[in-house]
Amino acid sequence: MTELPIFGQDTPQGPILGIDLGTTNTLVAVFDASGARILADANGEELLPSVVSFPKDELPLVGQSALDRARFDPKRTIHSAKRLIGKGIADLKEEQASLPYDLVNAPDRSLACIDLGYRQVNPSEVSGYILAAARSRAAQALKIKREDLTRAVITVPAYFDDAQRQATRDAARFAGLDVVRMLSEPTAAALAYGFEKKEAQRVIIFDLGGGTLDVSLLKLEKGVFRVLATAGDTRLGGDDFDRFLMNLAAEKIQKKTGVDVLRSPAGRATLRRAAEDCKKQLSTSETGTLKYHDPQAGVAWKQEIDWRTFQKGITPYVQRALDACAQVLQDAELNIEDVDEVVLVGGSTRVPLVKAAVSQFFQTTCHDELDPEKVVALGAAVQAGILGGKANNLLLLDVTPLSLGIETMGGTVSKLIPRNTAIPSQAKETFTTYVDGQSAISLNIIQGEREMASDNRSLGNFTLSGIPPMPAGLPQATVQFTLDADGLLRVQAKEQRSGVETEIAIEPKHGLTDKEVESMLQDAWDHAEEDLTQRRLADVRTQLDTVFRSVEKSNSLFSQLSEVQRERLEDAREEATTSDSVTSPDLLKGILDELEDASYPLAEILMNQVAVHAVQGQNLTEFSKE
Amino acid sequence: MQRAPAAVENPSPFDPFQCIGITRNFAINETALDDALIEASLRWHPDRWVQGTAQEQKQAEKNMAQINRAFGILKDPLLRAEALLTLFGAPLPTGTDKSASQGFLMEMMELKEEAESAAKNPETLSRFRTRLLTLEVQALEELKPTFESLQEDLVADTLSTVRGQLNRVQYLRRTREGLNLNILLGS
């Protein structure tokens, strides 16, 4: 066995944490005498934005303070790292178009890295900072020393492949956490709901997050949660809804002003937030406002979007989600009538069309009593309780979402472990040579459902060498796959006649080596969240200065404002000029927001002027120099 | 790919019934099977051994993998029948079938033709698929008394009859799965 837990079981310390490492937000929870509960920060905030900002020559920022920097430092403020984790740059062509930061290939590996300009950062490292912040938050909330919080249950989308799971485990190691169990998100949600009924029942978990869809079917009986089948789509989620709104806005802005706001990273970041806001409004009312305001580029635009337009735009995505529901029923050889309960998980199930479509498909009302954003973290905490011996009456039996096999002659795949096989699982297959005297057999390990190896994910190649010369077909190489309860694969191969043996854990291709993790650990991540208030204050002040300067530059236009508008703007300016003594970041943020809103009419006037000047053959740069 | 003869590396065949702890029989009660899985899982799932030693954890993982394998075999009547037959000492199925009856050979040819014409239209395809499934379920149902008699008295002739019947079920299933593929490719 190559791998033993870094933190031994012999010294059980603090409680095992349950962490939902989300694409957009991360939550940390524990299981104690009163059951599972979410841990909040000192201000009572439960959601930790999954964002890390890397200012040059300074320590990284995590969470809200990082999110606040997104607009003016988009290339070094990393959100959605979960969409990149364990993936190669070739897998990420579509994502790159919508991300404001730059991706590069890590040297010697097919692993994608983020280029900060002054250095490269690995998505596992980004997630590591987030997990480290979650760990600190838990230590603070539980009044336990951080060194005593060393174990965690971390949730991953059911559809995460081996590379993505390995990379997530690397992230945890980076944060000083030993992953005692990697749990799939929909299964965690089922645990959180509990469904403590006497008779057996079948439950569908429909989990639509920012970037992924998971649909799982579970059977619950006597406290045992058994996954019967799981299906999903790793490229489907609320981000697709945002992108629809972003493209809609960008097109209209370009038509009106000639400016392609999607071209600049800052523009993309701003528009992304605008689209998210509009989507949120559309979840609770019939219309939402899409607005884009960029005083520096001289663009101010807004438009009402009604739910019909939104619905029409997202219908193809919702249909794909329903296809996955049909798939999961087919895999389990069950019908819609066999499903007793349906649970909605993930922020994107707040979209009314999604909720309605799923209800209609399963012909039942869906459960959404637990906050869809918290339910996964609560489930992770329940699993932590099970593993810590605090919830002995429960047990979870999960399956592997993706088939595992080996590439054979002709480029086809020989499947050793088909998808939806219960884990842990072991399977064996015997292969032979096809050339006389062949001394090595090369094995390409494949994960995925397609017939041809090249259409699937290759987890790594390895070679069984040192086979004594024999005629073709005589050697018998037995390959054994062991898929553990975390869904991670180990491969052993043995040539039966000569006894030559080799074993690998599938890490080198997409994961990080121990050495790499160690060298990353030397970076002082644990100081990352210190002095956050000061840092945030400084950041907000910078933003305020920027807006203030652009307002001052246009003071010649004040006369064109209405009296009400002018008065509001003057007040906001006054507030801004006397803000040096403000020490609360939140207060300063309020001043900033007011100045931004108050200067909106000014930006509109400015933009109209730009349009007029553009017609007269003057370009934007010349105008703003005036 | 040729499967290596089981005897080479595994002298005693895997007994899924013993592994999961239910009586060796073709007819099984699904609830009893589920209960047996739950009981075995509560004992051996790695989640129950987190506080154990590294060796215990490794053993738990191995045992649970076997339990999962056993359950996978037992819940599928065809795999269950194959496992029973192997335990009774019957030969493994071979690629080309010598024990097929004349009647089965005729049926194979007819089904092949029918599959080709049914594939032209989704409605006929779906109906044909249902028919294959019904035939498969019927054939397996008909095996129940035969297995009962084998349980009492292991007659070599009966074993080879069952072998032939299972070959037919396998053919039915492969044809049906091939149809699924056509539907997917066609859409």
Side-chain angles (χ1 to χ4, degrees):
Chain A
M1 191 81 19
T2 52
E3 205 109 24
L4 283 174
I6 299 173
F7 303 92
Q9 251 88 41
D10 306 326
T11 54
Q13 301 154 323
I16 303 173
L17 299 175
I19 302 178
D20 169 14
L21 177 61
T23 307
T24 316
N25 291 300
T26 292
L27 287 104
V28 56
V30 284
F31 191 90
D32 55 24
S34 53
R37 65 185 171 100
I38 307 275
L39 300 174
D41 71 3
N43 299 322
E45 193 54 62
E46 293 177 326
L47 297 176
L48 172 68
S50 301
V51 182
V52 183
S53 193
F54 294 89
K56 197 171 182 243
D57 303 325
E58 283 180 63
L59 293 168
L61 293 165
V62 183
Q64 187 58 47
S65 52
L67 191 58
D68 291 340
R69 294 189 80 249
R71 193 161 37 167
F72 61 96
D73 198 5
K75 281 184 174 294
R76 298 194 192 102
T77 304
I78 316 307
H79 62 81
S80 304
K82 190 176 180 178
R83 302 189 88 167
L84 318 177
I85 204 160
K87 288 190 170 182
I89 198 151
D91 310 323
L92 294 167
K93 283 203 183 98
E94 274 178 50
E95 273 82 358
Q96 175 67 91
S98 63
L99 294 173
Y101 46 84
D102 298 322
L103 301 179
V104 287
N105 240 346
D108 313 325
R109 210 164 308 120
S110 51
L111 192 77
C113 268
I114 298 137
D115 189 3
L116 299 174
Y118 61 96
R119 77 164 175 118
Q120 290 177 8
V121 62
N122 180 299
S124 287
E125 194 179 338
V126 176
S127 293
Y129 278 109
I130 298 163
L131 290 171
R135 183 183 173 204
S136 295
R137 169 180 291 196
Q140 200 174 31
L142 296 168
K143 301 189 173 59
I144 295 179
K145 272 190 290 183
R146 186 162 61 182
E147 301 84 81
D148 290 341
L149 290 173
T150 56
R151 299 181 298 166
V153 170
I154 295 182
T155 58
V156 290
Y159 252 64
F160 255 26
D161 66 21
D162 194 78
Q164 291 167 302
R165 282 167 199 255
Q166 291 282 8
T168 303
R169 202 175 59 163
D170 290 338
R173 279 203 287 175
F174 178 74
L177 289 168
D178 172 31
V179 182
V180 276
R181 177 68 70 248
M182 216 150 351
L183 181 63
S184 79
E185 287 159 8
T187 327
L191 280 178
Y193 267 92
F195 293 107
E196 284 170 24
K197 268 195 193 162
K198 285 261 159 63
E199 66 270 34
Q201 48 187 338
R202 295 193 190 86
V203 179
I204 285 276
I205 310 287
F206 181 92
D207 179 359
L208 188 64
T212 53
L213 167 75
D214 285 322
V215 185
S216 292
L217 175 59
L218 289 93
K219 188 171 184 185
L220 275 51
E221 50 192 322
K222 298 173 185 161
V224 175
F225 292 64
R226 176 155 57 103
V227 182
L228 300 178
T230 186
D233 193 326
T234 46
R235 285 162 183 264
L236 181 63
D239 293 356
D240 292 308
F241 305 168
D242 295 343
R243 212 169 302 134
F244 162 71
L245 291 172
M246 277 172 77
N247 290 336
L248 183 85
E251 201 180 303
K252 300 214 169 192
I253 294 169
Q254 181 152 34
K255 215 173 255 175
K256 193 174 166 197
T257 68
V259 180
D260 180 4
V261 291
L262 288 179
R263 272 183 62 184
S264 79
R268 283 204 292 274
T270 312
L271 203 52
R272 208 171 70 92
R273 285 181 90 160
E276 275 170 26
D277 286 344
C278 178
K279 182 180 71 178
K280 274 183 198 153
Q281 292 168 30
L282 282 163
S283 291
T284 49
S285 63
E286 299 213 330
T287 57
T289 314
L290 253 182
K291 60 179 176 184
Y292 184 86
H293 176 198
D294 184 351
Q296 278 174 309
V299 178
W301 175 88
K302 69 175 164 185
Q303 187 171 334
E304 297 283 303
I305 305 291
D306 79 339
W307 66 274
R308 277 186 198 83
T309 311
F310 183 57
Q311 178 152 332
K312 200 167 160 229
I314 66 170
T315 293
Y317 302 111
V318 176
Q319 187 51 49
R320 268 165 67 193
L322 296 182
D323 292 346
C325 296
Q327 178 72 49
V328 90
L329 288 175
Q330 194 190 321
D331 287 350
E333 294 178 8
L334 290 171
N335 298 311
I336 285 165
E337 308 83 73
D338 299 320
V339 175
D340 298 305
E341 309 283 353
V342 178
V343 172
L344 298 180
V345 188
S348 303
T349 58
R350 290 220 172 103
V351 174
L353 175 64
V354 173
K355 206 180 273 193
V358 177
S359 283
Q360 199 185 1
F361 183 89
F362 289 106
Q363 295 157 21
T364 183
T365 342
C366 300
H367 286 278
D368 57 358
E369 300 89 303
L370 294 177
D371 186 336
E373 275 175 329
K374 294 179 193 167
V375 63
V376 170
L378 291 171
V382 172
Q383 177 71 1
I386 294 173
L387 297 173
K390 292 176 191 158
N392 271 327
N393 51 338
L394 299 175
L395 179 66
L396 179 63
L397 306 176
D398 215 337
V399 300
T400 177
L402 297 162
S403 302
L404 286 157
I406 281 182
E407 178 174 355
T408 56
M409 282 290 284
T412 56
V413 183
S414 165
K415 280 182 188 167
L416 269 78
I417 301 181
R419 75 192 174 94
N420 285 328
T421 299
I423 54 173
S425 172
Q426 283 185 333
K428 258 186 210 168
E429 179 95 76
T430 302
F431 297 86
T432 191
T433 54
Y434 51 91
V435 181
D436 286 343
Q438 190 178 331
S439 65
I441 296 176
S442 171
L443 301 163
N444 185 15
I445 319 245
I446 302 293
Q447 189 163 34
E449 308 313 316
R450 306 280 297 275
E451 293 295 313
M452 299 305 291
S454 54
D455 294 332
N456 293 305
R457 183 67 180 269
S458 166
L459 296 178
N461 283 284
F462 86 122
T463 307
L464 177 64
S465 53
I467 302 169
M470 278 183 260
L474 203 58
Q476 289 200 336
T478 305
V479 179
Q480 176 166 296
F481 278 20
T482 302
L483 193 58
D484 70 16
D486 293 322
L488 290 171
L489 180 67
R490 290 197 306 274
V491 181
Q492 282 166 291
K494 186 174 182 180
E495 201 289 299
Q496 298 293 333
R497 293 180 199 275
S498 60
V500 173
E501 205 169 340
T502 178
E503 167 169 349
I504 57 159
I506 306 297
E507 272 184 86
K509 193 160 183 178
H510 294 281
L512 303 167
T513 62
D514 284 354
K515 214 172 162 189
E516 283 170 308
V517 174
E518 269 170 39
S519 80
M520 291 195 312
L521 276 170
Q522 284 167 4
D523 293 346
W525 57 261
D526 46 353
H527 302 295
E529 331 87 72
E530 282 171 16
D531 290 329
L532 273 194
T533 315
Q534 286 308 313
R535 296 287 300 276
R536 214 182 138 212
L537 192 65
D539 291 342
V540 178
R541 186 144 287 152
T542 316
Q543 289 180 59
L544 184 61
D545 286 348
T546 314
V547 177
F548 187 78
R549 272 203 309 271
S550 75
V551 169
E552 292 306 298
K553 216 155 50 183
S554 329
N555 62 7
S556 59
L557 303 174
F558 282 14
S559 56
Q560 297 182 37
L561 295 170
S562 76
E563 191 159 338
V564 180
Q565 288 172 336
R566 196 168 57 237
E567 261 174 33
R568 186 177 171 193
L569 185 59
E570 293 290 0
D571 286 349
R573 273 176 74 205
E574 179 67 23
E575 281 280 320
T577 48
T578 57
S579 68
D580 282 352
S581 57
V582 174
T583 54
S584 148
D586 288 333
L587 213 60
L588 199 63
K589 183 81 173 28
I591 296 170
L592 167 66
D593 288 347
E594 172 58 21
L595 184 63
E596 269 187 336
D597 285 352
S599 67
Y600 187 81
L602 192 64
E604 270 182 326
I605 294 169
L606 190 62
M607 197 178 66
N608 288 335
Q609 294 223 347
V610 174
V612 172
H613 278 76
V615 172
Q616 292 168 350
Q618 249 179 314
N619 69 26
L620 188 63
T621 341
E622 285 169 311
F623 175 71
S624 47
K625 273 181 204 152
E626 284 178 0
Chain B
M1 182 144 338
Q2 278 299 69
R3 232 195 286 176
V8 168
E9 58 183 54
N10 200 2
S12 60
F14 178 63
D15 184 346
F17 299 93
Q18 191 190 18
C19 174
I20 212 161
I22 62 168
T23 323
R24 189 191 285 187
N25 203 342
F26 179 66
I28 55 167
N29 177 327
E30 269 187 48
T31 319
L33 179 62
D34 276 2
D35 287 350
L37 172 73
I38 286 172
E39 202 172 311
S41 305
L42 285 170
R43 172 128 179 70
W44 286 113
H45 192 279
D47 282 4
R48 314 286 286 182
W49 293 88
V50 170
Q51 315 291 345
T53 64
Q55 205 186 347
E56 284 170 338
Q57 288 181 10
K58 201 178 170 186
Q59 190 61 45
E61 179 178 84
K62 201 173 166 185
N63 289 359
M64 192 64 215
Q66 297 285 43
I67 291 161
N68 284 333
R69 181 180 167 203
F71 182 79
I73 292 170
L74 296 178
K75 77 172 177 197
D76 178 342
L78 175 57
L79 297 181
R80 193 196 315 145
E82 291 284 1
L84 258 182
L85 216 55
T86 312
L87 289 169
F88 284 145
L92 287 164
T94 49
T96 47
D97 195 345
K98 295 180 194 94
S99 59
S101 68
Q102 201 61 30
F104 176 41
L105 287 176
M106 286 293 289
E107 193 188 9
M108 275 168 75
M109 280 168 63
E110 280 167 20
L111 286 174
K112 202 172 168 209
E113 276 175 27
E114 213 176 325
E116 275 163 23
S117 66
K120 286 167 190 152
N121 152 353
E123 204 175 307
T124 53
L125 193 63
S126 151
R127 222 177 306 143
F128 183 54
R129 194 171 159 251
T130 314
R131 194 160 82 80
L132 286 172
L133 185 61
T134 317
L135 285 173
E136 186 183 320
V137 173
Q138 272 172 2
L140 286 164
E141 194 63 29
E142 282 162 15
L143 280 174
K144 274 184 185 166
T146 324
F147 270 109
E148 294 293 333
S149 81
L150 277 172
Q151 207 89 7
E152 310 262 298
D153 187 9
L154 206 59
V155 182
D157 276 0
T158 321
L159 270 184
S160 91
T161 313
V162 176
R163 175 73 275 152
Q165 280 165 325
L166 285 186
N167 289 347
R168 176 169 171 262
V169 175
Q170 258 173 5
Y171 181 79
L172 291 170
R173 184 174 288 191
R174 271 204 303 272
T175 311
R176 185 164 56 89
E177 284 169 354
L179 291 178
N180 280 344
L181 195 67
N182 286 337
I183 293 170
L184 288 176
L185 291 175
S187 71

